[in-house]
Amino acid sequence: MEAVQIRIHGIVQGVGFRPFVHRLVREFGLAGSIRNTSSGVELELEGERAALEAFVRVLPGRAPKLALIEQIETEYGLPPRGCEGFQILQSHAEQRRNTLVSPDIGICDDCRRELLNPGDRRYRYPFINCTNCGPRFTIIQDLPYDRALTSMGRFPMCPDCDREYHDIENRRYHAQPDACPVCGPHVRFLDGVGQELPGDPIETAREWLKAGKILAIKGLGGVHLACRADDPALIRELRTRKERDEKPFALMCRDTAAAEKLCHVSAEERAVLESFHKPIVLLQKRDRRPDSVSENGYLGVMLPYTPLHVLLFGEDLDALVMTSANLSDTPIVYRNEEALERLRGIADGFLLHDRDIQTRCDDSLCWVVDGREYFARRSRGYVPFPLRLPGSQGGILACGAEQKASFCLSRGEYAFPSQHIGDLKNAETLEHYEQQIAHFERLFDTKPRLLVCDKHPDYLSTAYALERGAREGIPVLQVQHHHAHLAACMADNGLQDPCIGLIWDGVGYGDDGTSWGGECLIGDFKGYERFGSLRPIPLLGGDRAVKEISRLAYALLREAGCATDGIENAPFYEKMLAAGLNCPLSSGMGRLFDGVAAILGIKSLASYEGQGAVLLEAAAETDEGCYPVVLEGKPLRFDWRPMIRALVKERDAGLPAGVLAARFMNTLIHMGVQMALAASRETGIRDVALSGGSFQNQVILRRLPEALRKAGLQPRIHRRVSCNDEGISLGQLRIGAAKLS
Ligand code: ZN
Ligand code: ZN
Ligand code: FE
């Protein structure tokens, strides 16, 4: 008989870990106690040495699926104290704060079975959940993670639920949000003016949806607008009401089989789609032509992730459009009163409930690349899972950029990237941003000792950092945008040593005050050198050229010495260019994409940032052709003029736009490889980090790494945070940590 102390580090709190340990302890005939600690849990067990060792051996393999064990430390041979049974000890007050919070988890198979079993007491109860599934992050007000400090605090458990909660054999043992029809929240259905209708709310919603109505449906992290996905006129109506011209909508499909009717679903995509994270997965459409839901080759598809969604689909609905309920770039609507007020005239009816959402969290969005998520948005189902950055430091708040804003807070070796915040361009989004920063600092009990932000003087995130730094006396570090991208991709891949970075995105404030975005950097967390770039493009009218992309076409054609007759307003642009009036220069890759999209006649007016690149990808056919790549100077410049001349020549010869689009992207891939090779020759570095919004383009994302590998280089793509500006905060944080150390 002896005692052992076992320290388990990782995400082992709020994921059903203690009940699991409890059961395992009993199975092995041991006795002892468990307590939450700052980095995980600590066990003290007593028994025979062989049994203790066997326990430690099997523990990782049998842990709950949500647990993430990073390290197990053991100390055998301690004197036994004569414990009996198993005790869950209260955590010390200061340790309570040091826990990790689980993300929201999609409905599990067991709960789904009970939900649809007429004999179960939770039959058709839309808030069924258990230790393995249900709301977490979005209902937590504060830590410790106890029912009283969640939205469920106002729903005292009935005797039946209470019994399950305390029964170690039960799969709802210590499940904080557990409830049933007797004691838990309820749904209600209201018409367009907020009048509650009698009858089964979910059945009413189903009838209204089938009849072609647009409904506001409260979900986990906010309210969706939903309607049938098979009625183009209805979807156009939704676009009009939501003031959303062309951006694709997401779909929710009843199950993978329903998704397969619309899209190709590989085994890897299916696994991500059905995982407990339940993200929106961008899948290739069977019919690639633009349709009312998506103008490009992909459909964003997710599966029902709450019991309410499961009931809503029933047996007969296949697919619904499910889009975040928000207006003109403000955050997603998440409160009942707010929904009724702001969505009046947009939604024909409301399916709401009385379990409050504490924290907004939009659906996550990803492709599946090499069997894993490749994020365009990392949010619901993933946040607030931290990333571990070994050797890094706590107490840093990285404030992100502007578009796809996020922030990242560090505590110890953990970095906590925030959920999707939105484009930080208006007061409401800023308020949401500031609230969430305060929420994270409270949840993770961290006050920053360093603030990191972008160098762009006009970003609201920069203003936030500077203002707060001055007010609270916290130092502020401003980091160049593309350096932060490089650092984000390095941190994402666990790299420390200097790296080559191909950082291609729309726009970022350069060290010379011009706008950058087609960069080849060499650097690490401490600093960087701008090794290469694009020949700058004059943005006729500044920001207007981001929308009116025919202005970019004009600039490219004019600089390349090609005819510009096809372009509207050409004489006006000519005057601007000649006078150099309001024509800031940009080396942004996104602008090159936009300009080429316009030259090919694919699009002349962009309705959202990056649309040119999206449509070029959608239009591209399979073709191996390539235009000339001219690199010269120091920093090495990609002179795109010969490429534009060759492209225009082929266009004028009548080659299809799809072929030209493919050749354009092939040229960029070729250029990227040449630039990285030049950087590698000079430095001996082989790692090439690929970051920036242009790497959402799946042709570039899949073919550039292949080409780099063939050239003997080691490509690194984003794996845990988004390649777009959402991922910037992680890079800022890592650069900040290097500064502190
Ligand atoms: Zn469950
Ligand atoms: Zn109950
Ligand atoms: Fe960027």
Side-chain angles (χ1 to χ4, degrees), residues 401 459 481-482 485 503-508 692-693 723-725 728:
Y459 284 179
H481 188 93
H482 303 98
H485 269 301
I503 315 297
W504 295 356
D505 75 350
V507 65
C723 66
N724 60 42
D725 283 4
I728 285 245

Side-chain angles (χ1 to χ4, degrees), residues 391-591:
S392 195
Q393 302 198 30
I396 303 170
L397 174 68
C399 299
E402 178 181 71
Q403 286 183 357
K404 302 176 168 76
S406 79
F407 60 86
C408 193
L409 181 69
S410 67
R411 186 184 70 200
E413 294 191 331
Y414 286 111
F416 297 88
S418 75
Q419 74 271 44
H420 169 80
I421 300 288
D423 292 351
L424 255 187
K425 286 178 177 167
N426 56 57
E428 281 181 77
T429 311
L430 179 65
E431 191 190 336
H432 175 40
Y433 173 79
E434 293 182 350
Q435 276 170 359
Q436 285 310 303
I437 289 176
H439 187 55
F440 269 58
E441 287 179 9
R442 194 170 55 242
L443 274 187
F444 304 116
D445 197 27
T446 299
K447 277 284 164 229
R449 57 195 172 114
L450 176 68
L451 301 171
V452 191
C453 66
D454 201 273
K455 278 192 173 170
H456 202 302
D458 299 335
Y459 284 179
L460 292 179
S461 55
T462 306
Y464 168 85
L466 294 175
E467 194 269 332
R468 183 173 173 189
R471 181 163 33 89
E472 298 180 19
I474 310 170
V476 181
L477 176 68
Q478 289 189 264
V479 172
Q480 199 279 325
H481 188 93
H482 303 98
H483 183 208
H485 269 301
L486 169 65
C489 192
M490 287 175 63
D492 199 335
N493 284 281
L495 302 177
Q496 300 267 359
D497 295 332
C499 222
I500 298 165
L502 291 175
I503 315 297
W504 295 356
D505 75 350
V507 65
Y509 192 80
D511 278 337
D512 58 5
T514 71
S515 161
W516 294 5
E519 310 308 309
C520 177
L521 307 182
I522 299 169
D524 58 14
F525 302 129
K526 300 239 178 244
Y528 77 98
E529 168 205 344
R530 191 188 195 197
F531 179 80
S533 184
L534 300 188
R535 177 190 166 86
I537 305 165
L539 302 181
L540 299 174
D543 278 349
R544 287 193 69 175
V546 177
K547 287 246 163 199
E548 296 172 30
I549 59 179
S550 54
R551 289 167 180 253
L552 292 164
Y554 182 85
L556 295 179
L557 292 170
R558 177 71 171 61
E559 298 255 306
C562 300
T564 56
D565 351 310
I567 293 179
E568 233 180 288
N569 293 332
F572 171 64
Y573 298 155
E574 182 54 43
K575 258 189 233 155
M576 276 180 90
L577 209 55
L581 211 66
N582 194 15
C583 291
L585 294 176
S586 168
S587 62
M589 184 60 90
R591 302 293 81 82

Side-chain angles (χ1 to χ4, degrees), residues 121-122 147 156-162 164 178-184:
R121 73 185 188 89
R122 290 188 183 81
R147 189 182 183 89
M157 280 185 185
C158 69
D160 286 335
C161 285
D162 193 64
E164 291 169 339
D178 180 33
C180 77
V182 175
C183 62

